[in-house]
Amino acid sequence: MNRSLISTFVLISVLGVTACSKASNEHTANVQDSPQSVKTELSTSDKKILDKYESITNEVVISGDDQEIKETLVPLIPEIKQVTAKKQREMALMNIYMLSSMYKEAYELNEQQIQEKPLPQRTMFRCTLLEKLNESKVKIQQCHEASAQLIQTELTKSVNKNDLQYKEVEFVYLTEMYKAGHADYKAKLQNFIGETKDVSLRDKYKSLYDSNIESFYGTDSPDYVPESLK
């Protein structure tokens, strides 16, 4: 998986873990999640299927190339679909889809999840999938706009704007607004990073900025104008 996708997962993880939303502990599945990481009582049948999936996935991801990963994981899909535990089933399916570059299937599953519960991190992930599906920049920017608005709603619920969790989600909000085509948010992101006093946090934000902003759409030219602003 490429660097930009990995960094997107990091952003989603920041949003999913802090969520600014203590009312929900939902999170978007990604390749770093384990289908059994959600505490629940698995049936014997589910556990057998998921144990097999995890064993095979761990082995092939470490040793295999992209083609081998796809050839090994895709045949597991029919079995995974038999898992009755919804969260574990969807997490395993999403992992397989992403690792196997099955972005259309991943998008369809993501849309289903958004319909069920429109969490900000799910909408963020939709934007990543739209990029992978080579959709228009305008459509992708509209997706980031929708994601940013959901994140902003969560931010307004926080009573402590100096809280670490608030600041981390604020960084994600600024990133989404820039990706939505608001060019002025690039400077706001730079200011946010510069004003972060904690060195380790500043380094983390800078790393995410480099991979999500400097490389956004493959250009950082001062003459570049997002399509939504043309």
Side-chain angles (χ1 to χ4, degrees):
M1 301 177 71
N2 64 34
R3 183 184 175 196
S4 64
L5 185 55
I6 291 172
S7 60
T8 299
F9 282 141
V10 173
L11 282 176
I12 291 172
S13 177
V14 167
L15 184 63
V17 171
T18 63
C20 234
S21 61
K22 296 182 175 61
S24 171
N25 60 7
E26 295 274 353
H27 66 283
T28 300
N30 66 59
V31 292
Q32 298 173 17
D33 285 325
S34 162
Q36 297 185 50
S37 63
V38 180
K39 300 297 183 183
T40 189
E41 194 69 32
L42 294 174
S43 68
T44 302
S45 174
D46 282 359
K47 190 174 187 306
K48 182 178 179 181
I49 294 172
L50 292 170
D51 283 347
K52 174 183 175 182
Y53 154 80
E54 287 194 355
S55 176
I56 292 174
T57 301
N58 290 337
E59 182 177 344
V60 74
V61 168
I62 292 173
S63 61
D65 58 22
D66 289 348
Q67 187 58 35
E68 182 181 357
I69 289 173
K70 185 171 184 176
E71 291 175 354
T72 303
L73 295 184
V74 171
L76 297 177
I77 292 175
E79 267 191 286
I80 297 297
K81 287 185 175 180
Q82 295 175 24
V83 172
T84 58
K86 185 176 186 296
K87 286 185 179 180
Q88 285 83 349
R89 179 181 68 248
E90 292 183 355
M91 290 168 69
L93 284 173
M94 189 65 81
N95 287 343
I96 291 176
Y97 292 154
M98 296 306 295
L99 287 166
S100 304
S101 301
M102 298 173 65
Y103 302 126
K104 181 176 181 294
E105 291 79 2
Y107 180 82
E108 290 171 352
L109 176 55
N110 176 252
E111 283 295 291
Q112 173 192 315
Q113 293 173 329
I114 290 173
Q115 288 298 317
E116 293 170 356
K117 196 165 189 176
L119 299 172
Q121 55 267 36
R122 289 178 173 177
T123 305
M124 276 184 66
F125 193 49
R126 173 203 273 165
C127 305
T128 297
L129 291 170
L130 289 174
E131 291 181 24
K132 291 296 177 182
L133 291 168
N134 296 316
E135 292 289 348
S136 70
K137 288 182 181 179
V138 169
K139 187 171 183 177
I140 294 168
Q141 288 170 340
Q142 289 171 342
C143 179
H144 286 295
E145 183 83 37
S147 168
Q149 296 311 310
L150 287 172
I151 297 170
Q152 185 180 45
T153 298
E154 294 301 326
L155 286 171
T156 60
K157 297 176 183 178
S158 177
V159 294
N160 184 2
K161 295 187 178 182
N162 293 317
D163 181 76
L164 174 60
Q165 293 183 347
Y166 180 95
K167 301 303 289 185
E168 291 200 331
V169 178
E170 183 182 8
F171 174 78
V172 180
Y173 167 74
L174 296 174
T175 300
E176 288 298 281
M177 285 297 285
Y178 176 78
K179 289 187 173 184
H182 302 282
D184 56 316
Y185 274 77
K186 180 174 181 177
K188 292 182 181 182
L189 272 164
Q190 292 171 333
N191 290 337
F192 178 93
I193 294 170
E195 292 171 359
T196 300
K197 296 179 181 179
D198 185 291
V199 176
S200 62
L201 280 176
R202 187 165 65 242
D203 288 345
K204 180 177 75 172
Y205 294 144
K206 182 63 167 63
S207 177
L208 288 169
Y209 172 88
D210 288 342
S211 57
N212 279 273
I213 302 304
E214 293 294 339
S215 62
F216 187 48
Y217 288 154
T219 181
D220 194 44
S221 165
D223 298 322
Y224 172 67
V225 180
E227 282 194 20
S228 63
L229 298 180
K230 291 180 180 178

